[in-house]
Amino acid sequence: MKCSLLSCLRVNLIFWLGLLHCGEAIVHTEVQAGPLYRVVGSPLSISCNVSGFASDITRKDIQFRIKKPEKPKFEINIISTDDQSFGYAVYTRRVRSREITLTHVTPNSVLFEIQSLEKGDEGEYDCSVINSESTYLGTYSATTTVKVIDNSLSVSSPASTSLSYNEGDALTLTCQASTNTIQHTHLSLVWYLHKDGEDNARPIMSLNRDFTLSPGPGFEARHQAGLIRLDKMGEATYKLNMAQLQLSDQGRIYCQAQEWIQDPDLSWYTVAQKDATETTLNVQAREVVPDTSSLVVRISAQSETLQEGQELSLSCNVDSQNLEERFFSLAWLRANVELARIGPTGILSVGPEYSGRVKEGELRAARIGDRDYSLILQPVRTGDQGEYICRAWLQDRGQDGAFIQQAVQDSSSQLVTISATESGLSVEMQNTVGVNEGNRLELTCKVHGVKDQLSVTWQRKSTAAAVFTSVIGLTQEGVTEKAGEFTSRKVKATRPATDTFTLELDEVTPSDSGVYQCAVAEWKVNSKTNSQSQTATVTVAPADSFVTVSLISRNSIVTVGENVELMCRVRGPRIPITLTWSLQHDASTLDNILTMYSDGAISWSGDQHRYQLKVENKDNEVVHSLLINGASRREAGHYQCRVSVFLENFNKKLPPSNQLAVSVQKPVSKLVLTTTPALTININTDMEMKCSVTSEPSASSRYAVTWLLQEQAENKTIVSSDQDALVTFGPQVPPSHRQRISMKRTKNPSFEFSIRQARISDGGSYICEVVEWLQDPRGDWYQLSPVSKTIELTVIEPANDLSLEKNEQPSAAREGDEVELKCNIMSGAFSPSLFYKVAWLYTGHDSSNTNVLVELDHTGLLRYPENQELRDLQGRLRLSRPTQSSFPLGIQRAHEGDNGTYRCQVEQYQLDHEGHWQQKASETTGPITLTVKVAENNLSIVKAERSLNISRFQDFPIPCHIANQSSSQSEFQVTWFWQKERETEQRPIFTAYRNSTLQDRFGKGDQLRFSHPLPKLFNLTFLKPSPEDSGLYFCEVEEWLPSLSHGWRKLAVENSGYLTVNVYAEGDVKAISEPECKSDIWIGILIAFVVCSLLVMFLMLLKICRSKVSGGNKSGQNLWVEQHPLKTKPSEED
């Protein structure tokens, strides 16, 4: 059961992972791996594939860019599949002419092609796909590197441009192919036959890059029969041998060489291809009738015993039925060595040992009849004696014109004896001669005892067992005859003196080593009478044995920015050389720096701005110096110089110099840091420590800073900032802690590290590690060794000493004023690690319940608890914290309803090491009793007692004058009363309410007139009174004020003094002393007022006249309001 459950879980896990994987396709871009080495002028193709998009059938748009070595950080647009104007101007022409193309092979793959590479095409190519989807996931670009090198492939053929042979003859052609590429390359070579009338040439024989021989179509049988061979002779010579030419061999023959390099994907690529000059081959045919009858062969000698210098004549006779219709070959042999052969078509061919004697006329062979053949040797030599035989065989001709050899028939042997004759001719030569490769070989042959005319033949054989082959000859008439193999060589045969012959062969190679023979013949009347020879062993020392290449430097270990000089010393004789400088950064990549050719031309590769070249000639060596100006890390690596010589139309590479490692080291860091001293802080306070660079920075200095916490196992990375100021947190810092941590950079430069609300666990040893980054001469950034400083941080928990002011604080205020209730912390408020929760409590006068009015918690959250009865009061509260230790409560527009007892409750909180809030203490202030009073009664009315005697129908006023009022906001209600004489009842006659409403309460509204001329003066006039209206009159004033809690409320009531009015009927006279006196006073006051007014008017007129006289033509000031507007209210400044 357990196993079953585990299996189910495993299956479910795999299922869900599969769904997750299927749901998120990852885009992948892949480009052909590099570096790709290609030669100048060759085509370049780079494939680029993308995968992982939602749709595989939708065509993807792809772009190609390049970063060139001289500017490795600058991208140049080349071509795009979706934008014709994507490329920069440097590539526009080549894109429009389709020299550069980008073609879709499939919807998800493209092929980028350059038809002919240029030197400037070297660089890092980037293939980018344009994302057409809404999300990004994967790799949308890939890069590969292309190296453009020189084409150093050389192909040549020394054969004549036109050759004629008979059918059945042998043909030998040579081709020389070599390359000077320092990269590891292979050569392949193919001999082609291009027949007239055919479009394409046919391969005869090929040697591929793996050194495998392959015959071309139609040549397989002849290759298997040994009639066609391709041999590689030495380092660069390829020889084609065709033993029996056929009519089908006629045409133009040439050799083609290809240079191959292996790309990083292990595929082979042709980087260069060249053809040699064509040689036209003509083959002449002869028709014969095949027969299968047997042959009888006989041999005879004209003389069997001869002396040296005489003529040897050998005759061969062939007998068979129908001889005239037969086709056969015949050959002469001595000691199983073939002297000469007459082929089926009558063509004479001579064995290698006797080829020179044919040219000298010493050997002649011919068919002298249908059955008879003759061979003549003259003059004979003692080495010619021995047994001779004749060998004949039938040749059948097939439908394709090729000959098929039948059975061989030999004659009996013929013994010829040759004795030496005395002669005064002798030859003298130096036995051994040594010469360096590339120099001229000079051989001298001294002749003694000369009687007649002389001819000389210079011959050579590579080994002692080989046979001599002719090099060059000089006839008795002084005519020079070159051997076929040396027609393209610089060779001369001269006779500077009568008894001296010389051989001169230029640009010798080690393959020219061997035994050279000087064969001198004496002639009399066109007949050779005697011959003598002498040999010399010639050794050609290869160039690598006398030309040595070594690489040295005085300063191969340098600091970034310093100069480096590398000296390549080429010792040996002065020969034309090609020198290549190369740099190897790692085991697999070898890059060319430059190549200096023998004619002085220099070919640079890649970025050449940092290099200079100097050549110094000395007695026995040439020093080629490579100067590196301002070395950077890119110039670090293994340097090598390579030398090659161009001899016999091919490049011969000499062993390279030793590798010289150039190490470019970083400078020693001179960084000096100063840090904050050890810190001791309270818990929950903010911490800041600083790390400053006090040393002098360089012009390109950048700094990467890492703050670490020292632990026993390993240092823990807290936060770091790289050289680009990108801040990242360490992997061991949880996300919950990252919001408390920050770092910033200030001047000098300085690096500040901050922790907010520090905890006990934050204490420890903090390390400030600074890495200085510098820029090398190429613009690349590199870092120096880090420098660090340690800062100790101690986090402590302070003691609890919270105390508040608890004295009872009675407070009185007037209604409408702003009240402030104080809450002060007496101690324990000065630690940044402590936080406070403050609540104001309220108990009303008529209530025993205590409610929370407002609360400010320790996190800074302000809250008003829901209470319908206190909603008005809460809306007028203002809780603030002007200082760290005070939390005053303000009450705006206080009124009677705010009366009561107030208390301030403070709770102290602190964060523990786990980040949880812990209450440390709680205190409450003493009660604060608030009493809000309305305005005080200050109302006063003028209470003067007066008497008034008037006649009937004479109006009289009843004034009501307010002397003082309690508040500027007071409103008044005025009521006038009337009391008859000898009665106690006071009757209201008229009321003016505070809202300006008037009420007639006496029923005589037509006799009453109300007026309010001044804010504090109310007047009621009684019109046309009658005697019945006599009595006491007074006014009653009610003062009303607006209340915040009760609306309008009556504050005070005051009465004025009594006005006694006596109304008499008409004709009644009554003397009253007091009123008359008073009338005189009022008349006096009126007269005085009129006199003062006239005096003021006179003074003003006098001033106006004076201003006109003094002003002259100036316009006087106008008192119209348009020019001098009146100020409506004095400003504060006034």
Side-chain angles (χ1 to χ4, degrees):
M1 183 65 184
K2 183 178 180 181
C3 295
S4 176
L5 179 60
L6 290 176
S7 300
C8 292
L9 290 175
R10 188 179 295 110
V11 170
N12 287 332
L13 179 61
I14 294 174
F15 172 75
W16 289 111
L17 288 176
L19 286 180
L20 180 63
H21 178 73
C22 294
E24 293 187 359
I26 299 178
V27 176
H28 180 63
T29 305
E30 185 178 8
V31 74
Q32 191 172 345
L36 304 176
Y37 288 91
R38 302 294 184 264
V39 302
V40 176
S42 68
L44 169 69
S45 62
I46 301 175
S47 60
C48 182
N49 305 303
V50 296
S51 60
F53 281 96
S55 174
D56 287 337
I57 61 174
T58 304
R59 199 183 81 161
K60 311 303 184 299
D61 288 320
I62 296 177
Q63 302 169 340
F64 263 80
R65 299 176 177 85
I66 184 176
K67 293 180 182 177
K68 298 193 175 183
E70 58 270 19
K71 293 182 179 180
K73 295 184 180 180
F74 179 68
E75 280 190 338
I76 301 175
N77 295 351
I78 301 177
I79 192 171
S80 172
T81 58
D82 69 325
D83 186 1
Q84 297 296 328
S85 60
F86 174 77
Y88 286 0
V90 67
Y91 286 102
T92 301
R93 177 189 59 81
R94 299 172 70 185
V95 172
R96 289 177 179 174
S97 64
R98 298 195 62 79
E99 183 183 343
I100 299 178
T101 58
L102 184 61
T103 309
H104 270 97
V105 180
T106 67
N108 299 302
S109 63
V110 295
L111 185 66
F112 172 77
E113 293 181 289
I114 299 179
Q115 303 302 322
S116 179
L117 276 174
E118 300 176 358
K119 271 283 190 178
D121 294 330
E122 179 173 322
E124 183 181 74
Y125 285 78
D126 176 87
C127 171
S128 302
V129 59
I130 300 175
N131 185 22
S132 58
E133 299 178 351
S134 59
T135 59
Y136 283 84
L137 181 62
T139 304
Y140 293 84
S141 66
T143 59
T144 187
T145 302
V146 175
K147 301 284 188 179
V148 182
I149 59 178
D150 291 335
N151 187 352
S152 60
L153 181 62
S154 173
V155 182
S156 63
S157 179
S160 175
T161 56
S162 180
L163 297 175
S164 294
Y165 284 86
N166 292 319
E167 188 178 11
D169 289 352
L171 172 67
T172 300
L173 295 175
T174 59
C175 180
Q176 292 174 328
S178 64
T179 178
N180 196 40
T181 306
I182 67 170
Q183 281 73 29
H184 179 69
T185 59
H186 287 188
L187 291 183
S188 65
L189 188 130
V190 183
W191 282 97
Y192 283 99
L193 171 63
H194 196 171
K195 293 186 177 183
D196 294 336
E198 293 184 359
D199 294 334
N200 299 321
R202 299 181 181 181
I204 302 173
M205 284 290 294
S206 64
L207 180 67
N208 65 14
R209 62 175 182 270
D210 298 324
F211 306 104
T212 302
L213 283 171
S214 301
F219 295 92
E220 296 91 346
R222 296 168 66 182
H223 172 63
Q224 292 177 0
L227 299 178
I228 297 180
R229 294 197 326 271
L230 175 57
D231 301 322
K232 183 177 181 182
M233 314 294 293
E235 295 183 12
T237 302
Y238 300 83
K239 184 177 292 186
L240 175 67
N241 295 297
M242 302 180 72
Q244 296 179 0
L245 288 174
Q246 299 179 3
L247 293 176
S248 59
D249 298 333
Q250 182 167 294
R252 300 185 301 278
I253 299 179
Y254 66 94
C255 67
Q256 180 187 87
Q258 291 180 332
E259 186 175 9
W260 297 76
I261 194 167
Q262 193 173 30
D263 287 341
D265 61 0
L266 302 183
S267 63
W268 286 90
Y269 185 84
T270 306
V271 294
Q273 175 179 302
K274 283 187 180 180
D275 297 341
T277 306
E278 294 181 343
T279 298
T280 303
L281 175 64
N282 296 313
V283 181
Q284 298 177 358
R286 190 184 79 175
E287 294 291 335
V288 295
V289 179
D291 194 1
T292 58
S293 301
S294 61
L295 297 175
V296 176
V297 183
R298 303 179 183 86
I299 186 172
S300 61
Q302 186 176 0
S303 176
E304 297 178 2
T305 303
L306 298 172
Q307 287 188 347
E308 188 177 14
Q310 292 181 344
E311 179 183 276
L312 170 62
S313 177
L314 295 175
S315 298
C316 286
N317 179 265
V318 180
D319 193 6
S320 177
Q321 296 180 357
N322 301 323
L323 186 62
E324 293 80 3
E325 300 175 359
R326 294 179 178 178
F327 187 71
F328 57 91
S329 297
L330 183 135
W332 289 268
L333 293 87
R334 181 181 68 84
N336 291 326
V337 176
E338 185 175 304
L339 282 71
R341 173 190 299 188
I342 296 178
T345 57
I347 304 301
L348 173 65
S349 60
V350 183
E353 292 187 4
Y354 294 88
S355 59
R357 299 180 71 174
V358 171
K359 294 181 179 180
E360 295 175 4
E362 295 184 7
L363 186 149
R364 300 187 301 276
R367 183 175 182 177
I368 59 178
D370 293 338
R371 295 178 174 81
D372 298 326
Y373 294 83
S374 173
L375 173 68
I376 297 175
L377 276 173
Q378 185 188 15
V380 294
R381 305 171 186 172
T382 54
D384 294 330
Q385 69 178 358
E387 292 186 351
Y388 290 84
I389 63 171
C390 288
R391 177 175 294 170
W393 59 92
L394 291 173
Q395 298 277 103
D396 291 339
R397 191 166 195 173
Q399 294 181 355
D400 59 353
F403 290 102
I404 301 174
Q405 182 176 333
Q406 301 297 327
V408 175
Q409 182 65 45
D410 292 343
S411 68
S412 58
S413 61
Q414 174 66 54
L415 178 62
V416 175
T417 303
I418 301 173
S419 58
T421 59
E422 293 187 9
S423 171
L425 184 64
S426 64
V427 178
E428 180 184 346
M429 250 185 100
Q430 185 178 351
N431 291 333
T432 57
V433 176
V435 63
N436 291 332
E437 183 178 10
N439 290 348
R440 173 183 293 176
L441 171 63
E442 293 185 0
L443 295 178
T444 302
C445 186
K446 289 284 187 179
V447 182
H448 304 283
V450 179
K451 297 179 179 179
D452 298 312
Q453 292 182 336
L454 298 178
S455 66
V456 66
T457 300
W458 292 94
Q459 298 175 318
R460 170 191 168 275
K461 62 180 180 179
S462 57
T463 62
V467 295
F468 282 106
T469 58
S470 179
V471 176
I472 191 172
L474 186 63
T475 66
Q476 61 272 27
E477 289 86 8
V479 178
T480 302
E481 297 176 347
K482 285 186 180 182
E485 187 177 347
F486 289 86
T487 53
S488 62
R489 298 285 299 274
K490 297 177 182 179
V491 59
K492 288 193 304 182
T494 60
R495 189 177 184 180
T498 305
D499 59 348
T500 305
F501 294 94
T502 61
L503 170 67
E504 296 178 1
L505 180 60
D506 291 344
E507 296 183 0
V508 294
T509 65
S511 61
D512 293 326
S513 298
V515 180
Y516 284 76
Q517 178 174 267
C518 171
V520 180
E522 194 172 17
W523 296 78
K524 180 184 287 187
V525 192
N526 294 328
S527 177
K528 185 183 294 185
T529 60
N530 196 9
S531 64
Q532 292 292 329
S533 63
Q534 190 60 263
T535 61
T537 301
V538 175
T539 302
V540 179
D544 53 11
S545 66
F546 60 88
V547 176
T548 59
V549 183
S550 60
L551 185 58
I552 61 172
S553 176
R554 296 188 180 93
N555 53 341
S556 60
I557 301 177
V558 296
T559 304
V560 174
E562 294 183 350
N563 297 334
V564 181
E565 182 178 3
L566 304 177
M567 291 173 287
C568 182
R569 304 171 64 180
V570 182
R571 294 183 176 179
R574 302 294 174 82
I575 56 176
I577 64 169
T578 296
L579 185 137
T580 301
W581 286 93
S582 63
L583 171 61
Q584 189 171 14
H585 291 287
D586 50 53
S588 60
T589 304
L590 182 66
D591 295 330
N592 284 18
I593 299 175
L594 63 91
T595 300
M596 188 178 69
Y597 296 95
S598 56
D599 58 357
I602 299 177
S603 174
W604 294 88
S605 300
D607 184 10
Q608 61 190 33
H609 299 93
R610 296 290 170 188
Y611 297 100
Q612 289 182 356
L613 195 62
K614 181 176 70 174
V615 180
E616 182 180 2
N617 290 315
K618 296 185 177 181
D619 294 338
N620 59 344
E621 67 177 3
V622 179
V623 179
H624 299 262
S625 298
L626 183 68
L627 306 178
I628 306 174
N629 296 317
S632 66
R633 291 176 298 166
R634 292 196 204 177
E635 282 74 47
H638 292 82
Y639 285 81
Q640 202 169 33
C641 60
R642 300 167 184 265
V643 173
S644 64
V645 294
F646 191 74
L647 300 173
E648 290 192 28
N649 297 322
F650 76 91
N651 288 295
K652 178 176 181 178
K653 298 178 183 178
L654 301 183
S657 72
N658 56 292
Q659 285 192 341
L660 181 62
V662 172
S663 176
V664 182
Q665 298 179 344
K666 302 173 186 177
V668 178
S669 177
K670 299 180 180 179
L671 193 64
V672 178
L673 300 178
T674 58
T675 58
T676 305
L679 297 174
T680 300
I681 62 171
N682 291 330
I683 189 172
N684 290 329
T685 58
D686 293 344
M687 181 281 302
E688 182 179 282
M689 54 181 64
K690 184 182 293 186
C691 180
S692 303
V693 177
T694 57
S695 56
E696 186 70 23
S698 66
S700 64
S701 291
R702 290 184 180 180
Y703 300 96
V705 183
T706 303
W707 288 92
L708 305 101
L709 178 60
Q710 191 172 1
E711 296 182 350
Q712 292 182 354
E714 59 180 356
N715 293 337
K716 173 183 175 182
T717 300
I718 306 299
V719 65
S720 62
S721 172
D722 65 8
Q723 67 272 19
D724 297 322
L726 178 63
V727 178
T728 56
F729 290 94
Q732 299 177 351
V733 179
S736 60
H737 290 190
R738 295 180 182 180
Q739 60 186 357
R740 300 190 301 114
I741 300 171
S742 65
M743 68 175 298
K744 64 180 180 179
R745 173 174 174 168
T746 58
K747 294 181 180 180
N748 294 333
S750 296
F751 308 96
E752 296 180 359
F753 173 61
S754 302
I755 300 178
R756 290 184 294 276
Q757 299 177 1
R759 305 170 184 174
I760 297 296
S761 59
D762 293 331
S765 298
Y766 285 83
I767 301 173
C768 171
E769 184 179 90
V770 180
V771 177
E772 185 176 8
W773 287 76
L774 299 176
Q775 201 170 24
D776 65 16
R778 283 182 174 264
D780 296 333
W781 291 94
Y782 65 95
Q783 68 180 59
L784 303 182
S785 56
V787 178
S788 62
K789 286 280 188 178
T790 302
I791 305 173
E792 292 292 335
L793 173 64
T794 304
V795 182
I796 61 174
E797 187 172 354
N800 177 32
D801 56 352
L802 177 64
S803 64
L804 303 178
E805 185 179 355
K806 294 188 177 182
N807 296 330
E808 187 174 350
Q809 305 175 35
S811 179
R814 294 181 61 181
E815 191 175 47
D817 292 344
E818 182 171 348
V819 179
E820 183 178 275
L821 307 180
K822 297 181 179 180
C823 178
N824 296 324
I825 301 176
M826 304 304 295
S827 63
F830 306 106
S831 174
S833 65
L834 299 176
F835 296 83
Y836 297 93
K837 177 180 178 181
V838 179
W840 278 93
L841 310 177
Y842 169 71
T843 304
H845 277 310
D846 301 331
S847 174
S848 61
N849 296 328
T850 300
N851 300 300
V852 178
L853 288 176
V854 61
E855 182 180 86
L856 177 67
D857 70 5
H858 50 281
T859 63
L861 179 64
L862 184 66
R863 187 175 67 88
Y864 293 89
E866 191 71 25
N867 192 322
Q868 196 67 29
E869 296 179 357
L870 300 176
R871 178 176 246 175
D872 176 67
L873 175 58
Q874 289 175 332
R876 292 181 285 111
L877 298 179
R878 179 174 57 85
L879 177 59
S880 61
R881 189 179 185 181
T883 64
Q884 189 177 7
S885 60
S886 63
F887 302 89
L889 177 66
I891 303 176
Q892 298 176 341
R893 302 185 309 279
H895 52 75
E896 286 181 304
D898 300 337
N899 292 340
T901 302
Y902 293 81
R903 285 182 176 85
C904 174
Q905 180 178 309
V906 178
E907 296 178 358
Q908 188 182 72
Y909 285 86
Q910 193 173 42
L911 279 172
D912 61 13
H913 67 282
E914 295 181 354
H916 300 148
W917 290 103
Q918 300 293 335
Q919 182 176 340
K920 309 298 289 186
S922 178
E923 288 288 333
T924 304
T925 63
I928 304 175
T929 303
L930 176 63
T931 303
V932 180
K933 299 178 180 179
V934 296
E936 295 181 358
N937 183 9
N938 291 324
L939 180 65
S940 65
I941 308 298
V942 176
K943 298 181 179 289
E945 301 287 338
R946 294 187 302 158
S947 297
L948 183 64
N949 296 319
I950 59 174
S951 63
R952 187 185 178 98
F953 303 114
Q954 183 178 356
D955 301 339
F956 67 90
I958 307 173
C960 187
H961 186 255
I962 301 173
N964 291 309
Q965 63 186 52
S966 302
S967 173
S968 60
Q969 297 180 354
S970 298
E971 297 286 344
F972 301 100
Q973 177 178 313
V974 183
T975 304
W976 280 267
F977 291 88
W978 172 55
Q979 180 181 352
K980 285 187 176 184
E981 292 181 358
R982 295 180 297 275
E983 291 184 4
T984 60
E985 181 183 1
Q986 297 178 347
R987 302 176 185 178
I989 60 174
F990 190 86
T991 299
Y993 294 97
R994 66 179 188 276
N995 59 358
S996 300
T997 303
L998 305 178
Q999 182 182 8
D1000 176 16
R1001 303 178 65 178
F1002 192 60
K1004 294 183 177 182
D1006 56 341
Q1007 290 183 273
L1008 301 178
R1009 293 290 182 270
F1010 172 79
S1011 64
H1012 187 25
L1014 294 174
K1016 295 183 180 181
L1017 179 62
F1018 297 85
N1019 193 32
L1020 182 66
T1021 303
F1022 204 112
L1023 304 176
K1024 297 179 182 181
S1026 62
E1028 291 80 9
D1029 297 326
S1030 299
L1032 297 176
Y1033 289 87
F1034 66 92
C1035 67
E1036 181 186 80
V1037 178
E1038 296 180 2
E1039 185 177 17
W1040 292 76
L1041 277 177
S1043 173
L1044 297 177
S1045 58
H1046 300 95
W1048 286 94
R1049 58 175 293 175
K1050 186 189 297 184
L1051 180 62
V1053 179
E1054 290 287 335
N1055 294 334
S1056 66
Y1058 293 105
L1059 173 64
T1060 304
V1061 178
N1062 296 310
V1063 180
Y1064 298 96
E1066 294 181 0
D1068 293 343
V1069 177
K1070 186 175 182 180
I1072 302 176
S1073 59
E1074 183 180 352
E1076 291 178 354
C1077 180
K1078 290 184 179 180
S1079 298
D1080 294 337
I1081 295 173
W1082 282 107
I1083 292 172
I1085 292 173
L1086 179 62
I1087 293 172
F1089 175 78
V1090 171
V1091 172
C1092 291
S1093 298
L1094 291 174
L1095 180 62
V1096 170
M1097 292 175 63
F1098 174 77
L1099 293 175
M1100 290 180 66
L1101 289 173
L1102 180 63
K1103 184 176 182 180
I1104 291 172
C1105 293
R1106 286 180 180 178
S1107 64
K1108 287 183 178 180
V1109 172
S1110 62
N1113 295 327
K1114 296 180 182 178
S1115 60
Q1117 292 183 350
N1118 197 330
L1119 298 179
W1120 289 108
V1121 70
E1122 287 84 352
Q1123 293 185 0
H1124 296 278
L1126 296 177
K1127 293 183 179 180
T1128 59
K1129 183 179 181 181
S1131 64
E1132 294 181 0
E1133 295 179 358
D1134 296 339

